[in-house]
Amino acid sequence: MRRIALASCLLAALAATSSAALAHRQSDRTLNGRLAFSVIDLEEIDGSATLAVSDPDGARRKVVLNGDTGVNTHPDWSPDGTRIAFTFITGNRYSGYTSDVYVANADGSGLRPLLPVHEERSSPSWSPDGSEIAYVQGLDDIYIAGADGSYARRLTTGLDPSWSPDGDRIVYAEDTGSGNTGLREIVVDGSGIVHLTGGAENDRAPRWSPNGHRILFQRGQGRVSIYSVGPDGSWMRRLTRGRYDTGAVWSPDGRSIAFARNGSIWVMRADGRWARKVVAMKSASNYAEAPAWQPVSEIGGTVVGTRFDDYLRGGPGDEVFIGGAGRDRMMGGGGNDRFRARDGRIDTIDGGPGRDRASVDPNDHVRWVEHVVRR
């Protein structure tokens, strides 16, 4: 389970002020944060792509890493929602192209390569505890490195690694010949390879569901659709019938799926229904792809933001929202919620159903909150 650990002093303060109703709430529920995705400039013949983020409905879109020097693509959020690992591609059609894995803070600051010595690397995937990153090195070797860049070891041959939520296994795509790939699982110690799909239809980009019960992947050449399958290869299901649906990822709460369709970012329910476009490009020369969904955790009934811009959405019960230092958007999902947004930034709060309370800055935007204290 992905989570943001609270400092012990904050936990003590919340324990002192929380009501008895909050005290017995279930903890460690992961909520949906912001979407990260790549925007490719098709007019740049040598390659240019920014890394952008938005709310899950496409609002508040902004660029966190520009594409002036290359292509930023295939992002993956760290389990605590504060960092993004991604593939950075540079070069030109004359000298050739090279790629490596980089890590940056959620706002694009703190940019650094994963490992100090450059190699051809791509397709990063964080381990559930945030201590390691799996990636592809060269054409088709999967490696695991410490997230701090302290070591790297080869795991197996394959592409598109994705870590299981329990941290024990990695699902990946393996070349089966004739330009096709099938899905495989492997234990992180290199043992126990399991074949999930046969590999006759170019299965790629697997992504494990947050509860470990399903694996998303894309299938096809030319016309590509999104499928899901059980971790033992059973109960395969087709979820979309688009002309080019790629890069599907689960929302942190497991209820939705984001994917790229023909240059835009779409979101649908986990069963494939109610697909809707959330990020559309204003220019025909821009092409959005490779979405990733930021996790934000609830601990003991408290939804905790990061120090960056967050989208914090509660469930049907009583939540306490603790905003970080960014420009946050807090959405009460029901119940009698409490919002703490005194951080000197302009936050947006929507209380929703129930009788809600908010302690906010003078310039925060507050709607549907019955009791507001501005200081």
Side-chain angles (χ1 to χ4, degrees), residues 33-44:
R34 308 195 78 194
L35 288 173
F37 50 92
S38 179
V39 180
I40 299 174
D41 185 349
L42 298 177
E43 292 184 345
E44 281 289 336

Side-chain angles (χ1 to χ4, degrees), residues 217-221 223-227 238-246:
F217 66 98
Q218 64 189 53
R219 167 173 284 187
Q221 295 185 8
R223 190 179 184 95
V224 182
S225 298
I226 305 300
Y227 288 73
R238 185 172 183 171
L239 300 178
T240 73
R241 297 181 180 273
R243 288 191 297 177
Y244 195 66
D245 297 342
T246 63

Side-chain angles (χ1 to χ4, degrees), residues 34 49 53 57 73 138 142 144 188 204 209 225 233:
R34 308 195 78 194
V53 296
D57 59 2
T73 189
I142 295 177
I144 295 175
V188 294
R204 292 288 304 270
S209 66
S225 298

Side-chain angles (χ1 to χ4, degrees), residues 43-56:
E43 292 184 345
E44 281 289 336
I45 192 170
D46 286 327
S48 174
T50 63
L51 199 63
V53 296
S54 76
D55 290 345

